[in-house]
Amino acid sequence: MRDVVQVTGELVANRRAGAYHHLTVVAPGLAELAKPGQFVALAVGGETSANLLRRCFSIHRVKPSGTFGGTVDVVIAAHGPGTQWLTQLRAHDPVDVVGPLGRPFPLPAEPVACVLVGGGYGSAPLFWLAEALRERGCHVEMVLGAASEDRLFGVVEARRTADGVTVTTDDGSAGRRGWVSDVLGEVVDRTGAGVVYACGPMAMLRSVTEIAAAHGAVAQVAVEESMACGIGVCMTCVMPVTGNDGVTRMVRSCVEGPVFRGDRVRWDAFADGVCRVPADTLGAPRVGGH
């Protein structure tokens, strides 16, 4: 892989952000290579741990230079032992980082209105993207949604970064009661957006893709498939995507993604948290044998 490094970084800060942890890590050489939409893979558990697999996180922001060198920010939700271990790290602890990984968000060649949609801490990579889009003269609005107020990420930062912000929560504890899909159509129409960028749960990405298409916009989505290696070896993150030739193939979200055109993803293959191989996929098993 080109333009990927592995470094032993140093944790600069570990801050609480609602239900999440916001980590800043010195990662020399990595920050200079990264682009919005890419991710990093962090080793977990220390030298004696049985946690062999890295944990992958979207890059929230980078600073190519600074007092300590280039830094990378990630946002982590503590779910299992690996992420819990990471959220317990303290300043100056070493962190083994591989990155930047994956394909970044494509940026429009000409200024165009864009809507950025984030679900929970899936909004993390959208703030850096918003800055890159505004530097190109794009009008940028953000739609941030979560189950409840404490599970939103970056609302204050969004109001500093974007031209407009709409917030939704399932329980109505902040912003409008409901889902991002309830407001997205009107935001796209009001802004005349040509592109909708999104990151969050797969069900949300499917809705965003359908709404964007119905309102004349193209969706670019960063998927949240589980990644075990992050470098394309283990094949645990494969998902069905239709290519330019109209053929559906099982591709690796960590290498061919994590960003895909939403209308190319075979959303019909996802159900109950499981991704199945569509029957018309290239190489799919046939009834009665190979």
PDB file of all heavy atoms in Angstrom, residues 251-284:
ATOM      1  N   VAL A 251     -16.718  -6.402  -2.362  1.00  0.00           N
ATOM      2  CA  VAL A 251     -15.503  -5.594  -2.258  1.00  0.00           C
ATOM      3  C   VAL A 251     -15.189  -5.333  -0.786  1.00  0.00           C
ATOM      4  O   VAL A 251     -16.054  -5.449   0.082  1.00  0.00           O
ATOM      5  CB  VAL A 251     -15.639  -4.268  -3.020  1.00  0.00           C
ATOM      6  CG1 VAL A 251     -15.991  -4.520  -4.476  1.00  0.00           C
ATOM      7  CG2 VAL A 251     -16.686  -3.372  -2.379  1.00  0.00           C
ATOM      8  N   ARG A 252     -13.948  -4.995  -0.524  1.00  0.00           N
ATOM      9  CA  ARG A 252     -13.503  -4.748   0.852  1.00  0.00           C
ATOM     10  C   ARG A 252     -13.746  -3.292   1.224  1.00  0.00           C
ATOM     11  O   ARG A 252     -13.256  -2.401   0.579  1.00  0.00           O
ATOM     12  CB  ARG A 252     -12.014  -5.079   0.978  1.00  0.00           C
ATOM     13  CG  ARG A 252     -11.667  -6.509   0.653  1.00  0.00           C
ATOM     14  CD  ARG A 252     -10.190  -6.690   0.366  1.00  0.00           C
ATOM     15  NE  ARG A 252      -9.801  -5.961  -0.844  1.00  0.00           N
ATOM     16  CZ  ARG A 252      -8.559  -5.913  -1.323  1.00  0.00           C
ATOM     17  NH1 ARG A 252      -7.595  -6.561  -0.703  1.00  0.00           N
ATOM     18  NH2 ARG A 252      -8.288  -5.229  -2.409  1.00  0.00           N
ATOM     19  N   SER A 253     -14.557  -3.080   2.282  1.00  0.00           N
ATOM     20  CA  SER A 253     -14.817  -1.697   2.668  1.00  0.00           C
ATOM     21  C   SER A 253     -13.573  -0.981   3.130  1.00  0.00           C
ATOM     22  O   SER A 253     -13.507   0.232   3.039  1.00  0.00           O
ATOM     23  CB  SER A 253     -15.842  -1.582   3.776  1.00  0.00           C
ATOM     24  OG  SER A 253     -16.448  -2.672   4.159  1.00  0.00           O
ATOM     25  N   CYS A 254     -12.575  -1.695   3.627  1.00  0.00           N
ATOM     26  CA  CYS A 254     -11.385  -1.028   4.157  1.00  0.00           C
ATOM     27  C   CYS A 254     -10.429  -0.570   3.063  1.00  0.00           C
ATOM     28  O   CYS A 254      -9.619   0.321   3.292  1.00  0.00           O
ATOM     29  CB  CYS A 254     -10.647  -1.938   5.144  1.00  0.00           C
ATOM     30  SG  CYS A 254      -9.960  -3.427   4.402  1.00  0.00           S
ATOM     31  N   VAL A 255     -10.516  -1.169   1.874  1.00  0.00           N
ATOM     32  CA  VAL A 255      -9.596  -0.818   0.783  1.00  0.00           C
ATOM     33  C   VAL A 255     -10.345  -0.117  -0.351  1.00  0.00           C
ATOM     34  O   VAL A 255      -9.994   0.992  -0.753  1.00  0.00           O
ATOM     35  CB  VAL A 255      -8.871  -2.075   0.250  1.00  0.00           C
ATOM     36  CG1 VAL A 255      -8.008  -1.722  -0.966  1.00  0.00           C
ATOM     37  CG2 VAL A 255      -8.007  -2.689   1.338  1.00  0.00           C
ATOM     38  N   GLU A 256     -11.376  -0.769  -0.887  1.00  0.00           N
ATOM     39  CA  GLU A 256     -12.179  -0.133  -1.940  1.00  0.00           C
ATOM     40  C   GLU A 256     -13.057   0.966  -1.354  1.00  0.00           C
ATOM     41  O   GLU A 256     -13.504   1.860  -2.073  1.00  0.00           O
ATOM     42  CB  GLU A 256     -13.034  -1.176  -2.653  1.00  0.00           C
ATOM     43  CG  GLU A 256     -12.268  -2.046  -3.654  1.00  0.00           C
ATOM     44  CD  GLU A 256     -11.449  -3.151  -3.014  1.00  0.00           C
ATOM     45  OE1 GLU A 256     -11.823  -3.604  -1.912  1.00  0.00           O
ATOM     46  OE2 GLU A 256     -10.429  -3.551  -3.606  1.00  0.00           O
ATOM     47  N   GLY A 257     -13.329   0.922  -0.078  1.00  0.00           N
ATOM     48  CA  GLY A 257     -14.064   1.951   0.660  1.00  0.00           C
ATOM     49  C   GLY A 257     -13.125   2.616   1.645  1.00  0.00           C
ATOM     50  O   GLY A 257     -11.923   2.627   1.421  1.00  0.00           O
ATOM     51  N   PRO A 258     -13.614   3.188   2.762  1.00  0.00           N
ATOM     52  CA  PRO A 258     -14.985   3.034   3.246  1.00  0.00           C
ATOM     53  C   PRO A 258     -16.010   3.934   2.559  1.00  0.00           C
ATOM     54  O   PRO A 258     -17.190   3.827   2.838  1.00  0.00           O
ATOM     55  CB  PRO A 258     -14.868   3.405   4.722  1.00  0.00           C
ATOM     56  CG  PRO A 258     -13.770   4.421   4.762  1.00  0.00           C
ATOM     57  CD  PRO A 258     -12.783   3.957   3.726  1.00  0.00           C
ATOM     58  N   VAL A 259     -15.541   4.820   1.662  1.00  0.00           N
ATOM     59  CA  VAL A 259     -16.474   5.735   0.997  1.00  0.00           C
ATOM     60  C   VAL A 259     -16.908   5.144  -0.341  1.00  0.00           C
ATOM     61  O   VAL A 259     -16.072   4.759  -1.168  1.00  0.00           O
ATOM     62  CB  VAL A 259     -15.826   7.118   0.778  1.00  0.00           C
ATOM     63  CG1 VAL A 259     -16.791   8.034   0.032  1.00  0.00           C
ATOM     64  CG2 VAL A 259     -15.420   7.737   2.111  1.00  0.00           C
ATOM     65  N   PHE A 260     -18.215   5.050  -0.534  1.00  0.00           N
ATOM     66  CA  PHE A 260     -18.790   4.569  -1.783  1.00  0.00           C
ATOM     67  C   PHE A 260     -19.898   5.523  -2.232  1.00  0.00           C
ATOM     68  O   PHE A 260     -20.498   6.208  -1.406  1.00  0.00           O
ATOM     69  CB  PHE A 260     -19.423   3.181  -1.608  1.00  0.00           C
ATOM     70  CG  PHE A 260     -18.465   2.090  -1.234  1.00  0.00           C
ATOM     71  CD1 PHE A 260     -18.339   1.690   0.086  1.00  0.00           C
ATOM     72  CD2 PHE A 260     -17.702   1.450  -2.200  1.00  0.00           C
ATOM     73  CE1 PHE A 260     -17.469   0.679   0.453  1.00  0.00           C
ATOM     74  CE2 PHE A 260     -16.832   0.424  -1.842  1.00  0.00           C
ATOM     75  CZ  PHE A 260     -16.714   0.039  -0.522  1.00  0.00           C
ATOM     76  N   ARG A 261     -20.169   5.518  -3.530  1.00  0.00           N
ATOM     77  CA  ARG A 261     -21.401   6.168  -3.995  1.00  0.00           C
ATOM     78  C   ARG A 261     -22.569   5.372  -3.445  1.00  0.00           C
ATOM     79  O   ARG A 261     -22.646   4.149  -3.629  1.00  0.00           O
ATOM     80  CB  ARG A 261     -21.453   6.197  -5.521  1.00  0.00           C
ATOM     81  CG  ARG A 261     -20.881   7.456  -6.119  1.00  0.00           C
ATOM     82  CD  ARG A 261     -21.142   7.518  -7.598  1.00  0.00           C
ATOM     83  NE  ARG A 261     -22.571   7.500  -7.945  1.00  0.00           N
ATOM     84  CZ  ARG A 261     -23.096   8.203  -8.944  1.00  0.00           C
ATOM     85  NH1 ARG A 261     -22.332   9.018  -9.641  1.00  0.00           N
ATOM     86  NH2 ARG A 261     -24.375   8.106  -9.216  1.00  0.00           N
ATOM     87  N   GLY A 262     -23.486   6.044  -2.795  1.00  0.00           N
ATOM     88  CA  GLY A 262     -24.576   5.338  -2.149  1.00  0.00           C
ATOM     89  C   GLY A 262     -25.414   4.504  -3.090  1.00  0.00           C
ATOM     90  O   GLY A 262     -25.888   3.418  -2.725  1.00  0.00           O
ATOM     91  N   ASP A 263     -25.578   5.001  -4.327  1.00  0.00           N
ATOM     92  CA  ASP A 263     -26.432   4.261  -5.265  1.00  0.00           C
ATOM     93  C   ASP A 263     -25.748   3.036  -5.855  1.00  0.00           C
ATOM     94  O   ASP A 263     -26.352   2.289  -6.615  1.00  0.00           O
ATOM     95  CB  ASP A 263     -26.941   5.179  -6.380  1.00  0.00           C
ATOM     96  CG  ASP A 263     -25.819   5.848  -7.166  1.00  0.00           C
ATOM     97  OD1 ASP A 263     -24.629   5.578  -6.879  1.00  0.00           O
ATOM     98  OD2 ASP A 263     -26.121   6.648  -8.071  1.00  0.00           O
ATOM     99  N   ARG A 264     -24.479   2.813  -5.501  1.00  0.00           N
ATOM    100  CA  ARG A 264     -23.774   1.619  -5.954  1.00  0.00           C
ATOM    101  C   ARG A 264     -23.799   0.502  -4.907  1.00  0.00           C
ATOM    102  O   ARG A 264     -23.466  -0.634  -5.213  1.00  0.00           O
ATOM    103  CB  ARG A 264     -22.320   1.968  -6.287  1.00  0.00           C
ATOM    104  CG  ARG A 264     -22.153   2.987  -7.407  1.00  0.00           C
ATOM    105  CD  ARG A 264     -22.570   2.420  -8.751  1.00  0.00           C
ATOM    106  NE  ARG A 264     -22.474   3.393  -9.815  1.00  0.00           N
ATOM    107  CZ  ARG A 264     -21.357   3.664 -10.491  1.00  0.00           C
ATOM    108  NH1 ARG A 264     -20.228   3.039 -10.174  1.00  0.00           N
ATOM    109  NH2 ARG A 264     -21.366   4.537 -11.467  1.00  0.00           N
ATOM    110  N   VAL A 265     -24.144   0.836  -3.677  1.00  0.00           N
ATOM    111  CA  VAL A 265     -24.185  -0.164  -2.615  1.00  0.00           C
ATOM    112  C   VAL A 265     -25.472  -0.975  -2.731  1.00  0.00           C
ATOM    113  O   VAL A 265     -26.559  -0.408  -2.893  1.00  0.00           O
ATOM    114  CB  VAL A 265     -24.101   0.500  -1.225  1.00  0.00           C
ATOM    115  CG1 VAL A 265     -24.204  -0.554  -0.114  1.00  0.00           C
ATOM    116  CG2 VAL A 265     -22.800   1.281  -1.083  1.00  0.00           C
ATOM    117  N   ARG A 266     -25.382  -2.288  -2.608  1.00  0.00           N
ATOM    118  CA  ARG A 266     -26.547  -3.158  -2.672  1.00  0.00           C
ATOM    119  C   ARG A 266     -27.198  -3.236  -1.288  1.00  0.00           C
ATOM    120  O   ARG A 266     -27.000  -4.181  -0.523  1.00  0.00           O
ATOM    121  CB  ARG A 266     -26.132  -4.539  -3.171  1.00  0.00           C
ATOM    122  CG  ARG A 266     -25.730  -4.574  -4.640  1.00  0.00           C
ATOM    123  CD  ARG A 266     -26.932  -4.371  -5.559  1.00  0.00           C
ATOM    124  NE  ARG A 266     -27.913  -5.432  -5.360  1.00  0.00           N
ATOM    125  CZ  ARG A 266     -27.887  -6.603  -6.005  1.00  0.00           C
ATOM    126  NH1 ARG A 266     -26.953  -6.849  -6.918  1.00  0.00           N
ATOM    127  NH2 ARG A 266     -28.810  -7.511  -5.759  1.00  0.00           N
ATOM    128  N   TRP A 267     -27.981  -2.230  -0.996  1.00  0.00           N
ATOM    129  CA  TRP A 267     -28.600  -2.150   0.330  1.00  0.00           C
ATOM    130  C   TRP A 267     -29.561  -3.303   0.586  1.00  0.00           C
ATOM    131  O   TRP A 267     -29.818  -3.665   1.739  1.00  0.00           O
ATOM    132  CB  TRP A 267     -29.345  -0.819   0.468  1.00  0.00           C
ATOM    133  CG  TRP A 267     -28.460   0.376   0.309  1.00  0.00           C
ATOM    134  CD1 TRP A 267     -28.453   1.247  -0.735  1.00  0.00           C
ATOM    135  CD2 TRP A 267     -27.426   0.815   1.202  1.00  0.00           C
ATOM    136  NE1 TRP A 267     -27.478   2.209  -0.549  1.00  0.00           N
ATOM    137  CE2 TRP A 267     -26.841   1.971   0.634  1.00  0.00           C
ATOM    138  CE3 TRP A 267     -26.948   0.354   2.423  1.00  0.00           C
ATOM    139  CZ2 TRP A 267     -25.799   2.679   1.241  1.00  0.00           C
ATOM    140  CZ3 TRP A 267     -25.902   1.044   3.033  1.00  0.00           C
ATOM    141  CH2 TRP A 267     -25.348   2.188   2.444  1.00  0.00           C
ATOM    142  N   ASP A 268     -30.075  -3.918  -0.484  1.00  0.00           N
ATOM    143  CA  ASP A 268     -31.004  -5.035  -0.321  1.00  0.00           C
ATOM    144  C   ASP A 268     -30.340  -6.251   0.320  1.00  0.00           C
ATOM    145  O   ASP A 268     -31.022  -7.165   0.782  1.00  0.00           O
ATOM    146  CB  ASP A 268     -31.602  -5.431  -1.681  1.00  0.00           C
ATOM    147  CG  ASP A 268     -30.524  -5.798  -2.698  1.00  0.00           C
ATOM    148  OD1 ASP A 268     -29.624  -4.958  -2.929  1.00  0.00           O
ATOM    149  OD2 ASP A 268     -30.581  -6.898  -3.266  1.00  0.00           O
ATOM    150  N   ALA A 269     -29.009  -6.261   0.362  1.00  0.00           N
ATOM    151  CA  ALA A 269     -28.288  -7.407   0.934  1.00  0.00           C
ATOM    152  C   ALA A 269     -28.183  -7.333   2.448  1.00  0.00           C
ATOM    153  O   ALA A 269     -27.791  -8.307   3.093  1.00  0.00           O
ATOM    154  CB  ALA A 269     -26.889  -7.499   0.329  1.00  0.00           C
ATOM    155  N   PHE A 270     -28.521  -6.167   3.018  1.00  0.00           N
ATOM    156  CA  PHE A 270     -28.360  -5.976   4.457  1.00  0.00           C
ATOM    157  C   PHE A 270     -29.698  -6.150   5.160  1.00  0.00           C
ATOM    158  O   PHE A 270     -30.686  -5.511   4.806  1.00  0.00           O
ATOM    159  CB  PHE A 270     -27.800  -4.581   4.764  1.00  0.00           C
ATOM    160  CG  PHE A 270     -26.428  -4.343   4.219  1.00  0.00           C
ATOM    161  CD1 PHE A 270     -26.239  -3.876   2.921  1.00  0.00           C
ATOM    162  CD2 PHE A 270     -25.307  -4.590   5.001  1.00  0.00           C
ATOM    163  CE1 PHE A 270     -24.973  -3.658   2.418  1.00  0.00           C
ATOM    164  CE2 PHE A 270     -24.036  -4.375   4.508  1.00  0.00           C
ATOM    165  CZ  PHE A 270     -23.862  -3.911   3.218  1.00  0.00           C
ATOM    166  N   ALA A 271     -29.723  -7.006   6.188  1.00  0.00           N
ATOM    167  CA  ALA A 271     -30.939  -7.212   6.974  1.00  0.00           C
ATOM    168  C   ALA A 271     -30.565  -7.768   8.338  1.00  0.00           C
ATOM    169  O   ALA A 271     -29.723  -8.670   8.437  1.00  0.00           O
ATOM    170  CB  ALA A 271     -31.899  -8.163   6.259  1.00  0.00           C
ATOM    171  N   ASP A 272     -31.159  -7.209   9.376  1.00  0.00           N
ATOM    172  CA  ASP A 272     -30.948  -7.686  10.751  1.00  0.00           C
ATOM    173  C   ASP A 272     -29.471  -7.724  11.133  1.00  0.00           C
ATOM    174  O   ASP A 272     -29.011  -8.639  11.823  1.00  0.00           O
ATOM    175  CB  ASP A 272     -31.559  -9.087  10.930  1.00  0.00           C
ATOM    176  CG  ASP A 272     -33.047  -9.106  10.617  1.00  0.00           C
ATOM    177  OD1 ASP A 272     -33.732  -8.129  10.980  1.00  0.00           O
ATOM    178  OD2 ASP A 272     -33.524 -10.083  10.005  1.00  0.00           O
ATOM    179  N   GLY A 273     -28.729  -6.724  10.679  1.00  0.00           N
ATOM    180  CA  GLY A 273     -27.318  -6.638  11.036  1.00  0.00           C
ATOM    181  C   GLY A 273     -26.417  -7.592  10.290  1.00  0.00           C
ATOM    182  O   GLY A 273     -25.230  -7.714  10.613  1.00  0.00           O
ATOM    183  N   VAL A 274     -26.946  -8.279   9.278  1.00  0.00           N
ATOM    184  CA  VAL A 274     -26.164  -9.257   8.517  1.00  0.00           C
ATOM    185  C   VAL A 274     -26.140  -8.841   7.053  1.00  0.00           C
ATOM    186  O   VAL A 274     -27.150  -8.392   6.504  1.00  0.00           O
ATOM    187  CB  VAL A 274     -26.770 -10.667   8.649  1.00  0.00           C
ATOM    188  CG1 VAL A 274     -26.009 -11.667   7.785  1.00  0.00           C
ATOM    189  CG2 VAL A 274     -26.767 -11.109  10.105  1.00  0.00           C
ATOM    190  N   CYS A 275     -24.971  -8.996   6.425  1.00  0.00           N
ATOM    191  CA  CYS A 275     -24.842  -8.730   4.991  1.00  0.00           C
ATOM    192  C   CYS A 275     -24.769 -10.073   4.266  1.00  0.00           C
ATOM    193  O   CYS A 275     -23.894 -10.894   4.562  1.00  0.00           O
ATOM    194  CB  CYS A 275     -23.593  -7.908   4.700  1.00  0.00           C
ATOM    195  SG  CYS A 275     -23.307  -7.629   2.935  1.00  0.00           S
ATOM    196  N   ARG A 276     -25.693 -10.298   3.322  1.00  0.00           N
ATOM    197  CA  ARG A 276     -25.718 -11.533   2.553  1.00  0.00           C
ATOM    198  C   ARG A 276     -25.209 -11.287   1.140  1.00  0.00           C
ATOM    199  O   ARG A 276     -25.205 -10.153   0.666  1.00  0.00           O
ATOM    200  CB  ARG A 276     -27.136 -12.114   2.535  1.00  0.00           C
ATOM    201  CG  ARG A 276     -27.614 -12.548   3.925  1.00  0.00           C
ATOM    202  CD  ARG A 276     -29.067 -12.982   3.929  1.00  0.00           C
ATOM    203  NE  ARG A 276     -29.443 -13.547   5.237  1.00  0.00           N
ATOM    204  CZ  ARG A 276     -29.763 -12.824   6.300  1.00  0.00           C
ATOM    205  NH1 ARG A 276     -29.752 -11.496   6.226  1.00  0.00           N
ATOM    206  NH2 ARG A 276     -30.087 -13.401   7.437  1.00  0.00           N
ATOM    207  N   VAL A 277     -24.810 -12.338   0.478  1.00  0.00           N
ATOM    208  CA  VAL A 277     -24.303 -12.241  -0.892  1.00  0.00           C
ATOM    209  C   VAL A 277     -25.478 -12.332  -1.856  1.00  0.00           C
ATOM    210  O   VAL A 277     -26.140 -13.370  -1.934  1.00  0.00           O
ATOM    211  CB  VAL A 277     -23.292 -13.363  -1.201  1.00  0.00           C
ATOM    212  CG1 VAL A 277     -22.774 -13.234  -2.628  1.00  0.00           C
ATOM    213  CG2 VAL A 277     -22.138 -13.334  -0.207  1.00  0.00           C
ATOM    214  N   PRO A 278     -25.781 -11.259  -2.591  1.00  0.00           N
ATOM    215  CA  PRO A 278     -26.881 -11.331  -3.561  1.00  0.00           C
ATOM    216  C   PRO A 278     -26.627 -12.426  -4.601  1.00  0.00           C
ATOM    217  O   PRO A 278     -25.474 -12.690  -4.976  1.00  0.00           O
ATOM    218  CB  PRO A 278     -26.872  -9.935  -4.207  1.00  0.00           C
ATOM    219  CG  PRO A 278     -26.213  -9.047  -3.190  1.00  0.00           C
ATOM    220  CD  PRO A 278     -25.179  -9.914  -2.530  1.00  0.00           C
ATOM    221  N   ALA A 279     -27.691 -13.051  -5.068  1.00  0.00           N
ATOM    222  CA  ALA A 279     -27.558 -14.175  -5.996  1.00  0.00           C
ATOM    223  C   ALA A 279     -26.874 -13.792  -7.297  1.00  0.00           C
ATOM    224  O   ALA A 279     -26.237 -14.635  -7.953  1.00  0.00           O
ATOM    225  CB  ALA A 279     -28.942 -14.771  -6.276  1.00  0.00           C
ATOM    226  N   ASP A 280     -27.004 -12.512  -7.712  1.00  0.00           N
ATOM    227  CA  ASP A 280     -26.417 -12.091  -8.978  1.00  0.00           C
ATOM    228  C   ASP A 280     -25.000 -11.542  -8.831  1.00  0.00           C
ATOM    229  O   ASP A 280     -24.439 -10.989  -9.777  1.00  0.00           O
ATOM    230  CB  ASP A 280     -27.312 -11.052  -9.654  1.00  0.00           C
ATOM    231  CG  ASP A 280     -27.509  -9.800  -8.803  1.00  0.00           C
ATOM    232  OD1 ASP A 280     -27.208  -9.843  -7.588  1.00  0.00           O
ATOM    233  OD2 ASP A 280     -27.962  -8.779  -9.352  1.00  0.00           O
ATOM    234  N   THR A 281     -24.405 -11.706  -7.658  1.00  0.00           N
ATOM    235  CA  THR A 281     -23.034 -11.233  -7.434  1.00  0.00           C
ATOM    236  C   THR A 281     -22.046 -12.096  -8.205  1.00  0.00           C
ATOM    237  O   THR A 281     -22.199 -13.320  -8.282  1.00  0.00           O
ATOM    238  CB  THR A 281     -22.689 -11.281  -5.937  1.00  0.00           C
ATOM    239  OG1 THR A 281     -23.608 -10.467  -5.220  1.00  0.00           O
ATOM    240  CG2 THR A 281     -21.279 -10.780  -5.678  1.00  0.00           C
ATOM    241  N   LEU A 282     -21.020 -11.474  -8.775  1.00  0.00           N
ATOM    242  CA  LEU A 282     -19.976 -12.213  -9.488  1.00  0.00           C
ATOM    243  C   LEU A 282     -19.338 -13.222  -8.525  1.00  0.00           C
ATOM    244  O   LEU A 282     -18.856 -12.863  -7.463  1.00  0.00           O
ATOM    245  CB  LEU A 282     -18.914 -11.239 -10.009  1.00  0.00           C
ATOM    246  CG  LEU A 282     -17.779 -11.869 -10.816  1.00  0.00           C
ATOM    247  CD1 LEU A 282     -18.315 -12.399 -12.145  1.00  0.00           C
ATOM    248  CD2 LEU A 282     -16.667 -10.831 -11.068  1.00  0.00           C
ATOM    249  N   GLY A 283     -19.364 -14.505  -8.922  1.00  0.00           N
ATOM    250  CA  GLY A 283     -18.758 -15.550  -8.100  1.00  0.00           C
ATOM    251  C   GLY A 283     -19.652 -16.107  -7.022  1.00  0.00           C
ATOM    252  O   GLY A 283     -19.203 -16.955  -6.230  1.00  0.00           O
ATOM    253  N   ALA A 284     -20.918 -15.657  -6.943  1.00  0.00           N
ATOM    254  CA  ALA A 284     -21.817 -16.150  -5.898  1.00  0.00           C
ATOM    255  C   ALA A 284     -22.104 -17.637  -6.099  1.00  0.00           C
ATOM    256  O   ALA A 284     -22.142 -18.131  -7.235  1.00  0.00           O
ATOM    257  CB  ALA A 284     -23.130 -15.376  -5.914  1.00  0.00           C
TER     258      ALA A 284
END
